[in-house]
Amino acid sequence: MAKIINVVKGTHDILPQEVEQWHILEKNALEIFSRYGYKEIRTPIFEVTELFARGVGDTTDIVNKEMYTFEKSERSLTLRPENTAGVVRSYIENGMSRLSPPVKLWYKGPMFRYERPQKGRQRQFHQVGVEMFGVKEPAADAEVILMAVDYLKSLGLDDLEVEINSLGCPKCREEFKNNLKAVLKPEFDNLCEDCQKRYEKNPLRLLDCKVESCKAIFEKPEIQKVIQSDFICEECADHFAKLKSYLDTMQVKYTVNKLLVRGLDYYNRTVFEIKSNNLGSQNAVCGGGRYDSLVKNLGGEDTPAVGWAMGMERLNALLPVPELKKLNGYIVSNSPVEALELAQKLRKEGYRIEFDLSNKKFTKQLEKASKVADYALILGEDEIKAGKVSVKNLATSEQKTVSIEELRSIL
Ligand code: ATP
Ligand code: MG
């Protein structure tokens, strides 16, 4: 026998029994997001590498370690590790800034990151996400968070924790970065290798470190004092205060987490995550925030923006597996022409119908029917002569012979 080829590490097949769950995620996304005025956008799965280097940021783990990059015709291309950069590229390229704001777009689809595969972390995973362009006011931040909560509720997930923070603007953040670096300097040798690298390039990211020894360092009182300080400027503080008051008014429960900095470079002011207590250590289902400089950085006009992305595998892990839909009827017959005619007639009317294609014995066909359908539709010689069909309820074993017209009232 030929050698079996396995699925690539960190990727998964989504099998038929799981697909129903994905349909629910997608159906609810379309339904809920359109209530808020969002339109779906589908961008390519690969883009030029520079888009992510500039869009996601070259101090991030994603760009430094996790991208699937390949050359084709001397161009460097990359499988998208996230979709905000792609949506922003499309927004600029298609002149969407000419539309009156806000421009509201949502997407779903596979993303690719070369990470260490573990529970809740794959190398190909799926995100559903939203981006809103053109509004700098905190009402926009509140609305996207509200929509995330609404979407999660529509899936039956209402015991999740919303965490928010403000990273300030590039101006006020600079002072915070310097204070943080100063207070961490004596601890430099005790930081993990990644944090030592981030120290110069992206000191805020240290706060996001998952290594226990680093977390313990950040607990020290003198370091906590800097972390907990209100470093943001008046305007940023006002933005954050308004966001909180809108969330309060809308009765969205949240906590302020000063350690929340998010992994991507492009965020400013609001950042947020939504977490579950039922997912183990990969517990974030949603991450997002405001990225007012990204459109300009990628060559567009200065355009404020805010958005989020959710991990669909992690959402699915929280949802009960729905039962597979059974067929309405399974035709049991040794007369393929009559079986085919009946099947096609009922399928045209919207019923889910299958029949035995290989002329098996009636007992075998009935066995199969009881596994896959609600009713067996028996079409033997007698039934065909009489222009009728015997219907067997496979849950109760009740059986009667009826005309095709009567059949419809039963199925
Ligand atoms: P994490 O902290 O879990 O690594 P992240 O900050 O890298 O997440 P984002 O890039 O903001 O996450 O992506 C948003 C969401 O996408 C995450 O909250 C998570 O649910 C999901 N996600 C991110 N990376 C993966 C992955 N490798 N496998 C599965 N889901 C993922
Ligand atoms: Mg990550």
Side-chain angles (χ1 to χ4, degrees):
M1 274 211 286
K3 189 170 157 265
I4 292 173
I5 297 170
N6 292 319
V7 74
V8 174
K9 186 175 169 192
T11 72
H12 293 280
D13 298 313
I14 300 170
L15 297 170
Q17 62 267 30
E18 297 162 279
V19 167
E20 180 66 22
Q21 239 180 343
W22 289 80
H23 286 168
I24 294 171
L25 293 188
E26 291 162 9
K27 198 173 73 203
N28 287 24
L30 178 60
E31 171 62 31
I32 302 290
F33 303 163
S34 59
R35 289 183 197 174
Y36 288 77
Y38 282 76
K39 298 275 191 300
E40 187 179 351
I41 182 167
R42 301 184 183 193
T43 63
I45 279 171
F46 57 89
E47 301 267 2
V48 297
T49 303
E50 190 193 348
L51 175 69
F52 303 115
R54 263 164 65 191
V56 179
D58 49 20
T59 66
T60 59
D61 285 352
I62 292 182
V63 169
N64 284 322
K65 308 190 220 164
E66 298 174 359
M67 295 210 297
Y68 282 90
T69 296
F70 56 99
E71 297 268 331
K72 212 78 199 164
S73 306
E74 292 170 27
R75 289 206 90 172
S76 176
L77 304 173
T78 292
L79 298 183
R80 63 185 187 193
E82 55 96 66
N83 206 22
T84 298
V87 171
V88 170
R89 177 204 47 69
S90 178
Y91 173 88
I92 298 168
E93 198 170 344
N94 293 294
M96 288 189 232
S97 61
R98 287 195 300 271
L99 305 171
S100 85
V103 175
K104 294 172 161 184
L105 303 170
W106 76 274
Y107 60 81
K108 60 173 168 24
M111 309 294 156
F112 306 86
R113 297 183 193 175
Y114 188 69
E115 302 203 69
R116 191 167 69 79
Q118 53 196 291
K119 187 165 170 272
R121 199 174 286 294
Q122 296 85 240
R123 289 179 173 170
Q124 174 174 333
F125 61 100
H126 296 74
Q127 286 183 336
V128 54
V130 306
E131 319 289 357
M132 189 204 302
F133 296 97
V135 187
K136 64 178 192 317
E137 279 75 17
D141 312 35
E143 194 188 74
V144 294
I145 293 175
L146 205 57
M147 186 168 78
V149 170
D150 233 10
Y151 175 58
L152 293 165
K153 273 194 190 147
S154 80
L155 299 170
L157 302 171
D158 49 13
D159 59 343
L160 302 172
E161 314 263 337
V162 179
E163 293 187 354
I164 61 174
N165 193 19
S166 176
L167 301 178
C169 55
K171 257 187 286 165
C172 56
R173 202 182 327 171
E174 205 49 41
E175 191 187 322
F176 180 64
K177 278 187 193 171
N178 290 336
N179 292 346
L180 196 61
K181 276 167 73 180
V183 76
L184 283 169
K185 198 162 190 178
E187 299 287 350
F188 185 85
D189 292 338
N190 303 327
L191 294 170
C192 74
E193 209 179 306
D194 278 339
C195 279
Q196 291 188 351
K197 279 192 210 139
R198 291 170 187 143
Y199 181 85
E200 280 304 331
K201 282 210 242 163
N202 192 355
L204 276 193
R205 274 285 277 125
L206 269 71
L207 303 182
D208 201 26
C209 184
K210 306 282 188 299
V211 175
E212 288 302 326
S213 54
C214 290
K215 282 198 206 159
I217 293 174
F218 305 143
E219 285 303 318
K220 294 194 171 178
E222 67 275 19
I223 297 170
Q224 271 297 313
K225 208 169 138 201
V226 173
I227 293 172
Q228 298 299 337
S229 66
D230 287 320
F231 69 92
I232 56 178
C233 64
E234 213 173 301
E235 278 170 39
C236 289
D238 181 55
H239 187 100
F240 197 47
K242 283 191 174 131
L243 166 64
K244 288 191 285 188
S245 86
Y246 300 154
L247 293 178
D248 290 336
T249 309
M250 297 316 297
Q251 296 178 328
V252 175
K253 279 202 219 99
Y254 60 85
T255 50
V256 175
N257 177 359
K258 293 267 195 175
L259 292 176
L260 186 66
V261 292
R262 312 275 306 119
L264 317 179
D265 277 0
Y266 49 59
Y267 291 113
N268 69 297
R269 291 195 168 160
T270 312
V271 287
F272 55 91
E273 280 190 356
I274 303 180
K275 294 177 180 169
S276 160
N277 294 322
N278 303 320
L279 281 174
S281 55
Q282 301 337 310
N283 62 354
V285 293
C286 175
R290 179 165 277 286
Y291 49 95
D292 293 336
S293 54
L294 184 60
V295 179
K296 198 170 173 203
N297 281 350
L298 290 176
E301 287 163 34
D302 209 353
T303 310
V306 57
W308 52 252
M310 290 193 195
M312 295 175 83
E313 281 81 1
R314 291 190 199 172
L315 288 179
N316 271 334
L318 292 170
L319 296 174
V321 181
E323 274 193 30
L324 270 188
K325 251 195 208 163
K326 280 194 168 179
L327 296 168
N328 299 110
Y330 189 93
I331 301 173
V332 172
S333 178
N334 288 130
S335 310
V337 174
E338 284 77 6
L340 198 52
E341 273 173 355
L342 179 61
Q344 288 308 85
K345 187 181 250 174
L346 293 170
R347 284 167 179 162
K348 266 196 199 124
E349 293 173 23
Y351 295 106
R352 297 184 303 282
I353 305 290
E354 247 204 279
F355 69 98
D356 181 65
L357 299 164
S358 53
N359 219 8
K360 288 199 196 71
K361 288 206 178 96
F362 267 34
T363 45
K364 286 270 177 235
Q365 293 191 33
L366 275 166
E367 233 171 72
K368 167 88 180 182
S370 63
K371 285 188 195 133
V372 299
D374 291 330
Y375 292 93
L377 311 180
I378 302 162
L379 210 50
E381 274 172 30
D382 292 348
E383 282 89 355
I384 291 171
K385 257 186 227 147
K388 296 203 165 185
V389 55
S390 295
V391 193
K392 181 174 181 184
N393 180 327
L394 293 162
T396 63
S397 291
E398 204 181 317
Q399 184 171 328
K400 58 180 166 181
T401 304
V402 298
S403 68
I404 308 291
E405 281 63 42
E406 285 171 292
L407 181 60
R408 294 194 186 94
S409 66
I410 298 173
L411 289 185

